[in-house]
């Protein structure tokens, strides 16, 4: 089994997703987050109590 395959199998089946609009995050870069919405605070608390994994996505812009 390759190292990539082993790391894929270690991921949970479901992960919480945090949307980040207009952000460019480079590998090994740090991005401080100011999380204040109750739903995202709950998400972070749940993640920290469990698998400690959060996915981040950049949503497509809304068309008018």
């Amino acid at each position: 089994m390759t190292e990539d395959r082993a790391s894929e199998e270690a991921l949970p089946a479901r992960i919480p997703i945090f949307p980040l609009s207009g952000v460019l995050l480079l590998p090994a870069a740090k991005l401080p987050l100011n999380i204040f919405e109750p739903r995202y605070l709950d998400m972070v608390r749940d993640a920290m109590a469990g698998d400690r994994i959060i996915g981040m996505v950049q949503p497509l812009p809304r068309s008018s």
Side-chain angles (χ1 to χ4, degrees):
M1 181 180 314
T2 67
E3 186 175 323
D4 289 337
R5 188 71 170 157
S7 63
E8 286 176 18
E9 291 175 1
L11 292 174
R14 293 177 53 182
I15 62 171
I17 301 295
F18 189 85
L20 290 172
S21 297
V23 173
L24 176 63
L25 181 59
L26 301 173
K30 294 182 182 180
L31 178 65
L33 298 174
N34 184 10
I35 301 172
F36 55 89
E37 287 186 45
R39 63 184 170 162
Y40 294 124
L41 287 170
D42 291 342
M43 179 188 74
V44 170
R45 285 187 197 111
D46 290 346
M48 296 306 289
D51 295 314
R52 300 178 63 90
I53 293 176
I54 295 174
M56 298 197 181
V57 298
Q58 190 168 85
L60 293 172
R62 292 183 181 182
S63 57
S64 44

